[in-house]
Amino acid sequence: LMDPGDKHTILLTQLVSMFHFAALQHMGKLKNPMTDKIERDLQQAQATIDMLEMLHAKMKGNLNGEEEKMFSNILQEVKLNYVDEAGKPQPETGSSPETKPT
C-alpha cells in the first residue's frame, strides 16, 4: 500500500508538470498535441506561470525538500524561457508556409 505522502508527491508532480508543459506550449517551445502545431500565446503563458507561482506561494511550509526543489526548478525554467520568448519578435501571422492560401 502506498504512503499517502508519496501519493501526494506524485500527484503534485503531475499537477506541476501539467502547468509546466502548458506554459512551454503557450510560449511556442512545444507543439500543441491537439493541433500538432507550434502556437505562441505569451499572455496565456504568463497566466500559467502566475498560477504556478500562486500554488507555490500557497503551499509554502507544506512542501518537503524534494517537492520544493522540483517546484523551484520548474518555476525558474518557465520564467527563463518566458523572458527568452518575450524578447523575440512576434511572428507575423500568415508568414509560415502552412498558413499561406493556395
Side-chain angles (χ1 to χ4, degrees):
L1 201 64
M2 189 186 281
D3 176 86
D6 290 346
K7 185 180 178 185
H8 287 169
T9 297
I10 291 166
L11 292 171
L12 177 67
T13 303
Q14 289 173 337
L15 179 69
V16 172
S17 292
M18 280 171 27
F19 285 115
H20 181 204
F21 289 122
L24 292 176
Q25 247 174 258
H26 294 313
M27 286 183 246
K29 299 276 189 190
L30 294 174
K31 274 185 179 180
N32 180 337
M34 302 295 219
T35 62
D36 200 39
K37 288 191 177 92
I38 292 286
E39 295 161 3
R40 198 160 167 262
D41 183 346
L42 291 183
Q43 209 173 350
Q44 199 56 54
Q46 184 62 63
T48 306
I49 294 168
D50 288 347
M51 213 167 290
L52 267 174
E53 287 190 306
M54 175 277 297
L55 279 173
H56 191 224
K58 289 283 186 186
M59 292 176 176
K60 212 154 201 63
N62 286 311
L63 299 173
N64 67 33
E66 197 181 303
E67 294 165 340
E68 179 59 50
K69 192 175 168 193
M70 179 256 323
F71 227 127
S72 297
N73 288 344
I74 287 175
L75 269 172
Q76 187 179 8
E77 186 196 327
V78 293
K79 285 178 184 178
L80 287 171
N81 275 298
Y82 182 85
V83 169
D84 179 51
E85 280 303 315
K88 290 179 185 176
Q90 188 68 33
E92 285 178 46
T93 49
S95 64
S96 66
E98 303 89 52
T99 56
K100 275 193 179 146
T102 47

